[in-house]
């Protein structure tokens, strides 16, 4: 977070708000204090980086359900959602349909919700919560998770979904940085970015894009 904060400030010259978003109680490490400090050998502090820590399970459920579509999966991880999972999953799906989300967006959010619930609940609880959701069976990631009796299949399904979500997010970030810096993103470059499927290379491209002077120098 400190590295990202420094890079963002270097690029935009504005204050940067940093947050550690904890999705499950196992992540609540003692060293997540909201402050990172570095000291010289003589004990003098030369760097202090401050950030907020948000523990999802402590948040109220309803504000997350009422927020943007990106907060909907997080609502399911709150303590308040514990006894209401089928109801909340149905509400999530109904809202996406009412807002006319594309089928790709809908399946991505539903599959992401399914994966995130695996941080907290066993597979029987999660499957029961999604029983009434139409279209999930067409998701290859969902099928990998549900593969009977194969723990490695479920783990592979989680990895596939998380990696797909990460790739999409980094593609969007790269395009946002380019659109902010340059008058136009060539159609050929946009198509190349949208077809690129290496999350690590996309992250490197985002960092390069923040410093290039010509869009031709991106070399994706």
């Amino acid at each position: 977070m400190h590295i990202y904060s420094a890079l963002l400030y270097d690029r935009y010259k504005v204050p940067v708000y940093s947050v550690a978003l904890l999705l499950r109680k196992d992540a609540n490490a003692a060293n997540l204090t909201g402050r990172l400090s570095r000291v010289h050998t003589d004990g003098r502090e030369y760097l202090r980086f401050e950030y907020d820590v948000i523990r999802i399970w402590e948040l109220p459920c309803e504000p997350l359900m009422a927020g943007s579509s990106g907060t909907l999966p997080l609502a399911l991880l709150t303590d308040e959602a514990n006894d209401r999972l089928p109801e909340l999953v149905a509400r999530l799906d109904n809202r996406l349909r009412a807002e006319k989300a594309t089928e790709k967006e809908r399946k991505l959010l539903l599959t992401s919700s399914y994966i995130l619930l695996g941080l907290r609940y066993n597979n029987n609880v999660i499957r029961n919560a999604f029983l009434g959701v139409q279209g999930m069976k067409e998701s290859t990631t969902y099928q990998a998770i549900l593969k009977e009796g194969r723990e490695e299949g479920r783990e592979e399904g989680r990895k596939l979904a998380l990696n797909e979500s990460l790739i999409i997010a980094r593609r969007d970030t790269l395009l946002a940085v380019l659109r902010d810096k340059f008058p136009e993103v060539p159609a050929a470059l946009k198509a190349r970015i949208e077809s690129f499927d290496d999350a690590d290379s996309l992250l490197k491209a985002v960092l390069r894009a923040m410093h290039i002077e010509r869009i031709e120098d991106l070399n994706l």
Side-chain angles (χ1 to χ4, degrees), residues 80-99:
E80 289 185 1
N82 184 53
D83 299 322
R84 304 168 53 198
L85 287 181
E87 169 211 336
L88 293 173
V89 170
R91 281 177 57 188
L92 186 157
D93 189 29
N94 289 337
R95 175 174 162 185
L96 294 175
R97 292 177 183 277
E99 294 179 355

Side-chain angles (χ1 to χ4, degrees), residues 5 17 21 28 51 73 77 83 100 114 118 174 191-192 208:
S5 176
Y17 177 51
L21 192 67
N28 196 23
Y51 58 95
L77 296 179
D83 299 322
K100 294 183 171 52
Y114 194 103
L174 179 55
R192 195 155 71 248
R208 285 200 307 272

Side-chain angles (χ1 to χ4, degrees), residues 147-191:
K147 200 165 186 179
E148 284 293 329
R150 294 188 61 185
E151 183 62 33
E152 62 185 57
R154 290 194 294 271
E155 182 62 25
E156 183 62 23
R158 294 188 185 98
K159 290 178 180 177
L160 285 171
L162 290 171
N163 188 58
E164 180 182 359
S165 300
L166 184 61
I167 288 170
I168 291 172
R170 289 182 177 174
R171 285 174 184 162
D172 290 344
T173 301
L174 179 55
L175 285 169
V177 170
L178 292 174
R179 286 170 178 147
D180 180 69
K181 289 192 66 172
F182 302 104
E184 182 180 358
V185 178
L189 177 58
K190 183 174 182 291

Side-chain angles (χ1 to χ4, degrees), residues 29-80:
N31 65 337
L32 290 172
T33 63
R35 175 180 294 181
L36 171 70
S37 179
R38 294 283 184 261
V39 297
H40 291 292
T41 54
D42 62 4
R44 289 182 298 117
E45 185 180 56
Y46 67 86
L47 182 148
R48 178 183 299 177
F49 169 67
E50 295 185 347
Y51 58 95
D52 281 343
V53 181
I54 295 179
R55 297 166 177 85
I56 289 295
W57 59 90
E58 295 179 348
L59 298 180
C61 176
E62 288 303 324
L64 293 171
M65 289 296 295
S68 68
S69 59
T71 70
L72 295 176
L74 298 178
L76 305 179
L77 296 179
T78 62
D79 283 348
E80 289 185 1

